[in-house]
Amino acid sequence: MSEKVSLGMLATGVPGLDTLLGGGLGEFSFNMIAGAPGSGKTTLAHQIMFALASPERKALFFTVLGEPPLKMLRYQQQYSFFELDKVGSSIRYVNLAEDLRTGNFRGVITRIMEEVESFGPGLVFVDSFRSVVQTARAGNEGVAELQYFIQELGTRMASWQATSFLIGEYAHADVDANPILTVADGVLSLSQHHDQNSVVRKVRVVKMRGQAHLAGSHTFRISGDGVHIYPRLLPPLAEDRLPGHPVDREVRRIPSGVATLDPLLHGGIPQGHSVLVAGPSGSGKTILATQFLAEGARQGEHGVAVYFEKGTSRLRNARLAELVQAGHVSVVESRALDLSIEELLDELLTTVERTGARRVVIDSLSEFSLYLAPEFRDNLRLGVFRILSALAKLDVTVMLTMGIDDRFTELRFSQSEVAFLTDAIIALRYVELGGRLEKVLSVVKVRGSAHSTDLRLLQITDKGLEIGPSPLQAEGMLSGHPSPRSGR
C-alpha cells in the first residue's frame, strides 16, 4: 500500500460536537452513545440523524424496548432540527419490541439484518439497547444469549457500509467495562451532574478511533434547537506571537470615555487590553463602564455589554439604555442559575463576531459568580482567564467591573486573584476628607506601559464621572492653606 487511507468525515450538525470529535464523525464508523436516563442520548442521536439523512444517505432507526416510535416522534418534533418531510422517505423507524419479548436474540439479529439489506441505509441507529439487558437477567442461559447478541450485533454494525450508532443507558463505569468497546470505533458518554440546586449536563468522548479528539468532560445544554455543546479549550495563539512574525510595539491607544482619565493612562487604554475597574458599591464602576461604551459609539465602534443583575428592562442608566436602543451596544445577559463558563463564552464570542464589536464590558464579575453552577463558581479565576484569552485573540478591549469591600487599610483589588489576569487596574475607593466621605480613583497598573500613580478625587455628576485634583490638594483648598505639593 503506497498511499494512506483518508477517513471520510461527516458533520454532525450538533454545535460544538465536531470540535470535540476532532473534525466530525468518521464515515462508516460504529459508535456508541451512552448515558443514564434523561441525559439526552435520544435527542443527540436524532439531531445527528436529521442533519445527515438524505435520499442518498438514508437512516434506519430501530427502537427496542424503550418508548414506541410514535411517542418518540411526538417529542422529537418539538425541536427545530426535526424535518417531518424526511420521515418515511429518508428516515425509517422499525420497532423491535415484539421480536425481543420472545427472548429470541438470534431472531432479532436476523430481523435487523433483513431491514438493513432491504432499506440500504447509510445511517443505522439502535435505541435503547440497555433495555435488552432486562430481558436476560434470569438464568445463565439467558446471560449467554445476551452476550452473544451484544457481540454479534456490534460486529455486524461495525462491518456495514453505514455509519451506525448503538444507544444505551449506561453509567460511566458500565461504559468503561463493557466488552462492546472492543468493536466500537467511537464512544460518547453523556451525564448529568447535580450539585446543590444546579444540574450541569456533560459529554465525554471516551473513544474515537483515528481522530485527535478532545479529552475530558465538556458541558452542553438542551434547548428548543436541540443539543449545544460547549468545548472546553483555549483559542489558538495569535500569529504575531508565533516565531517568524514581528511584534508591533506601537500599541494604539483608545479613549476611555473620561477625558480626565486618559492623561493618567498616558494617552488612553492600550487597544486589546483588559481593564479591571474595582471598587466598593456606589463608587462609579458601572458609570465608568458606560462612558467607555459611549465613547466607543462616538468613535464608530460597536460595543457588547454583559450584564446579570442589570437586565435591559431594568437599566436605570439612561445613557446605557439609549446606546442599546440605538443599536450601538448589544447586550448579553443570562437568567440561568446553572451557567457554565463555556456557555457564556460561546454567546459572548458569537455576539462579538456577529456585530464586529471592538469594546466589551462585563458588569460585574461579582454578580457573574452568582449565576455560575457551583463547580465553576469555585474556580472563577480559570473562567475569567478563558474569557480574556478568547477576547484578546480578537484584539477586543475589555473592561470588567468587580465589587470589593472598602476596608480603607487594605489594597485589595479583586476576588479570587482575578487582578493578576488583567492588563490594567483602575481602583475606586472612599476617603474621609474635611468631614465628608469622598471618592478617589487611581491607576494601579497598565501592563507594558507607564502610567500616573496619583490619587485623584472623583465625582459623579449628571454628565458622568469627573476626575478632580488629588486629595492632598483638595484638603489644602478646604483648609485655605496651599498643599506642600500644590505648587502655590
Side-chain angles (χ1 to χ4, degrees):
M1 182 179 293
S2 59
E3 296 183 1
K4 290 184 178 181
V5 176
S6 298
L7 292 176
M9 303 296 283
L10 302 177
T12 62
V14 179
L17 181 55
D18 293 347
T19 301
L20 249 61
L21 298 176
L25 273 173
E27 192 173 18
F28 307 139
S29 60
F30 166 44
N31 305 279
M32 183 175 179
I33 302 177
S39 58
K41 304 181 303 297
T42 301
T43 300
L44 177 63
H46 274 81
Q47 194 168 346
I48 294 172
M49 180 173 66
F50 276 94
L52 294 175
S54 66
E56 295 75 28
R57 187 192 292 119
K58 295 184 289 187
L60 194 56
F61 198 105
F62 291 98
T63 59
V64 191
L65 294 182
E67 54 188 345
L70 286 178
K71 182 180 179 182
M72 182 186 299
L73 285 173
R74 183 184 308 136
Y75 289 104
Q76 291 300 318
Q77 65 182 303
Q78 307 305 314
Y79 295 109
S80 62
F81 62 74
F82 190 92
E83 299 178 59
L84 187 59
D85 294 342
K86 289 187 176 182
V87 179
S89 56
S90 299
I91 297 175
R92 181 180 177 185
Y93 289 87
V94 177
N95 192 351
L96 298 175
E98 289 298 326
D99 301 83
L100 274 171
R101 283 195 182 98
T102 64
N104 182 6
F105 295 134
R106 296 176 187 269
V108 174
I109 290 286
T110 302
R111 171 78 188 282
I112 291 176
M113 294 303 300
E114 291 173 351
E115 294 288 350
V116 169
E117 290 174 3
S118 64
F119 194 60
L123 301 165
V124 178
F125 297 80
V126 178
D127 181 23
S128 158
F129 187 71
R130 183 60 182 263
S131 55
V132 179
V133 178
Q134 310 303 325
T135 67
R137 291 281 184 196
N140 294 329
E141 183 178 350
V143 174
E145 282 287 309
L146 175 63
Q147 188 73 10
Y148 163 80
F149 178 80
I150 293 174
Q151 293 178 349
E152 184 69 13
L153 179 59
T155 302
R156 296 288 183 93
M157 293 180 76
S159 66
W160 293 335
Q161 288 296 299
T163 306
S164 53
F165 301 83
L166 193 59
I167 304 164
E169 296 174 357
Y170 295 96
H172 282 299
D174 296 330
V175 172
D176 294 338
N178 199 292
I180 206 168
L181 282 176
T182 59
V183 292
D185 300 307
V187 178
L188 297 177
S189 178
L190 278 60
S191 59
Q192 298 185 84
H193 296 257
H194 186 268
D195 190 351
Q196 298 181 24
N197 289 326
S198 297
V199 174
V200 177
R201 297 180 184 269
K202 293 190 176 183
V203 58
R204 177 168 67 105
V205 181
V206 180
K207 174 184 180 182
M208 192 57 58
R209 279 193 177 125
Q211 296 172 222
H213 63 272
L214 292 182
S217 297
H218 305 263
T219 59
F220 72 94
R221 188 177 290 274
I222 300 178
S223 67
D225 294 325
V227 174
H228 190 135
I229 297 173
Y230 304 97
R232 183 173 46 84
L233 74 171
L234 289 173
L237 291 173
E239 287 186 357
D240 60 4
R241 303 281 180 88
L242 299 177
H245 291 270
V247 177
D248 184 6
R249 300 188 183 278
E250 293 296 327
V251 180
R252 173 177 173 256
R253 300 276 180 160
I254 64 173
S256 64
V258 181
T260 47
L261 173 60
D262 292 339
L264 301 181
L265 295 167
H266 284 199
I269 301 172
Q271 173 70 45
H273 270 37
S274 56
V275 182
L276 175 66
V277 180
S281 178
S283 58
K285 302 182 299 294
T286 298
I287 296 176
L288 176 56
T290 301
Q291 289 183 245
F292 172 70
L293 292 173
E295 181 61 31
R298 281 193 294 270
Q299 300 285 334
E301 298 176 344
H302 193 83
V304 173
V306 182
Y307 286 104
F308 299 95
E309 294 293 336
K310 307 173 185 66
T312 52
S313 62
R314 298 174 53 220
L315 290 177
R316 298 179 181 178
N317 189 321
R319 195 172 191 183
L320 180 57
E322 290 174 2
L323 291 171
V324 173
Q325 292 169 2
H328 298 306
V329 173
S330 300
V331 174
V332 173
E333 57 182 336
S334 176
R335 286 294 175 266
L337 292 175
D338 54 359
L339 193 64
S340 69
I341 297 295
E342 291 80 12
E343 190 172 354
L344 175 68
L345 182 57
D346 180 83
E347 186 176 358
L348 175 57
L349 293 182
T350 299
T351 305
V352 169
E353 293 173 355
R354 174 177 54 83
T355 62
R358 307 302 302 149
R359 299 186 182 216
V360 168
V361 162
I362 301 178
D363 186 22
S364 78
L365 291 179
S366 307
E367 295 165 348
F368 171 39
S369 63
L370 299 177
Y371 285 80
L372 293 174
E375 65 175 280
F376 303 108
R377 192 182 309 155
D378 295 338
N379 203 346
L380 178 63
R381 187 182 185 189
L382 178 60
V384 174
F385 169 68
R386 296 185 58 203
I387 292 172
L388 295 183
S389 298
L391 292 174
K393 170 68 176 177
L394 300 176
D395 198 31
V396 173
T397 308
V398 189
M399 183 171 286
L400 311 94
T401 69
M402 174 167 276
I404 56 174
D405 296 333
D406 194 335
R407 298 180 181 176
F408 297 96
T409 58
E410 291 185 9
L411 287 176
R412 186 185 181 200
F413 305 115
S414 72
Q415 303 166 4
S416 305
E417 298 181 335
V418 170
F420 297 101
L421 304 177
T422 58
D423 300 308
I425 299 175
I426 297 174
L428 310 178
R429 60 185 311 178
Y430 294 106
V431 296
E432 186 178 346
L433 184 63
R436 298 177 59 181
L437 199 60
E438 300 285 356
K439 302 178 181 68
V440 295
L441 174 147
S442 60
V443 179
V444 178
K445 81 168 184 178
V446 179
R447 187 168 287 155
S449 171
H451 60 87
S452 171
T453 57
D454 291 346
L455 280 175
R456 294 294 186 89
L457 286 175
L458 180 68
Q459 287 188 330
I460 300 176
T461 69
D462 292 340
K463 296 180 180 179
L465 296 186
E466 292 185 3
I467 299 175
S470 70
L472 192 60
Q473 290 175 321
E475 190 173 22
M477 295 174 187
L478 288 173
S479 63
H481 299 287
S483 164
R485 296 181 56 191
S486 67
R488 292 196 295 163

